[in-house]
Amino acid sequence: MTIALLGLGAGFLGLVALIMIGRLIAGPTVPDRIVALDAINTLAVGIMILLAAVYESVVMVDVAIVYAALAFVGTLFLARYVEGGM
């Protein structure tokens, strides 16, 4: 039962990520697109963590942590670029 709920939660986060892709494409400004990309990255990390719990895989948690760190740095660079500091 718990595994089914975790899988359902991962599916829901995947659906929300697809909706955010629509926002990424249709975002009227560049900062809107950057926020959408950051939200997609956050949802991807959440999906990885839920799937790690479903499949009982510790490696996926490590991958999620590295992905989250790289996504954070990427968002910082994009924000700095949009701000005009580069």
Side-chain angles (χ1 to χ4, degrees):
M1 180 69 179
T2 303
I3 292 177
L5 288 175
L6 290 173
L8 185 66
F12 179 74
L13 289 180
L15 179 66
V16 174
L18 288 176
I19 293 170
M20 292 304 294
I21 288 174
R23 182 63 178 173
L24 178 69
I25 294 170
T29 65
V30 174
D32 290 335
R33 291 183 173 141
I34 291 173
V35 169
L37 183 64
D38 191 45
I40 290 169
N41 287 330
T42 302
L43 291 170
V45 170
I47 291 169
M48 283 186 219
I49 296 297
L50 287 177
L51 291 179
V54 169
Y55 293 112
E56 297 177 1
S57 172
V58 179
V59 174
M60 287 186 76
V61 174
D62 295 337
V63 170
I65 290 170
V66 171
Y67 182 81
L70 292 175
F72 176 72
V73 171
T75 301
L76 286 179
F77 278 116
L78 286 173
R80 185 75 176 196
Y81 177 75
V82 168
E83 186 182 55
M86 293 183 84

